Amino acid sequence: TFGTMATGGFSTWNASVGHYQSATIEWTIIVFMILAGTNFNLYYLMLIAKRADQSKPGVGTRLAVVARDPEFRLYVGILSIGTLLLAFNLWQHKLYEGPLEILRHSVFTTVSITTTTGFGTVDFDQWNNFSRALIVLLMFVGGCAGSTGGGIKVVRFLLLGRILGLELEGAFRPNVVRPLRIAGVNLDKS
C-alpha cells in the first residue's frame, strides 16, 4: 500500500508484484497507481464541488471537475495510448495467452512505468525492441503535477503542445495575439 501510493515501487519480494501471480492484486494496484499519479488538487476540488441544485448529491459535478481538467485528460490519454500500443505489440508477438492476460500486463506495465512506481510483473527482456522503447519513452512522462509520481510531469507536455501551437499560429498569422491558457487561466510565456 505505501509503496503504491507513494509511487515508490518497494516490494518485499525479488519478483516485485509478479511474485503473487494474482490478477486481482494487479488490478487493485493499477487503480491506486493511477490515483497516485493524479494531481492531488483535483481530489480537493472534487470535495468542495457543489451542484447548483442542492437537493441532489454532487457526484456529477465532482466528476465534471476531473473531466474538465486538461492535464488529467492528457494523463489518461497517455496511459490509454501507451496501453493500446503495448497490448497490440504483445498480441502480435504472442508472448502471453489470451487477450485478458495481454491487457493486464499492458495496463500494469504502462501505469507502473508512467507513474514511476516501478512495480514489475513480467520480464521485459522477453519483449521486442518496440515494447522496450515504448517503456523507456513512458518513463520520461511521469504523473500529473501535484502527484507523487516522478518524471517530467504531464503538465509540461501540455504546456509544450500549447506553446508549439501558439508559435505555429504566430508564424502563419503574425498579427494575431493569443494568450497562453490552461484550464481557463492565462499563463505568462516567460
Side-chain angles (χ1 to χ4, degrees), residues 9-17 19-20 119:
F10 300 114
S11 178
T12 55
W13 302 100
N14 290 339
S16 189
V17 176
H19 168 81
Y20 300 105
F119 284 131

Side-chain angles (χ1 to χ4, degrees), residues 28-64:
T28 303
I29 291 173
I30 287 168
V31 169
F32 286 101
M33 285 189 296
I34 291 171
L35 291 174
T38 302
N39 188 337
F40 290 157
N41 289 326
L42 287 179
Y43 299 133
Y44 173 72
L45 292 175
M46 284 176 58
L47 286 173
I48 64 169
K50 293 187 179 172
R51 216 182 239 284
D53 180 8
Q54 294 295 331
S55 64
K56 298 178 184 175
V59 173
T61 304
R62 290 182 176 151
L63 293 178

Side-chain angles (χ1 to χ4, degrees), residues 137-156:
L137 290 175
L138 289 172
M139 283 181 191
F140 289 106
V141 175
C144 296
S147 73
T148 58
I152 294 174
K153 300 289 186 180
V154 175
V155 73
R156 291 193 176 105

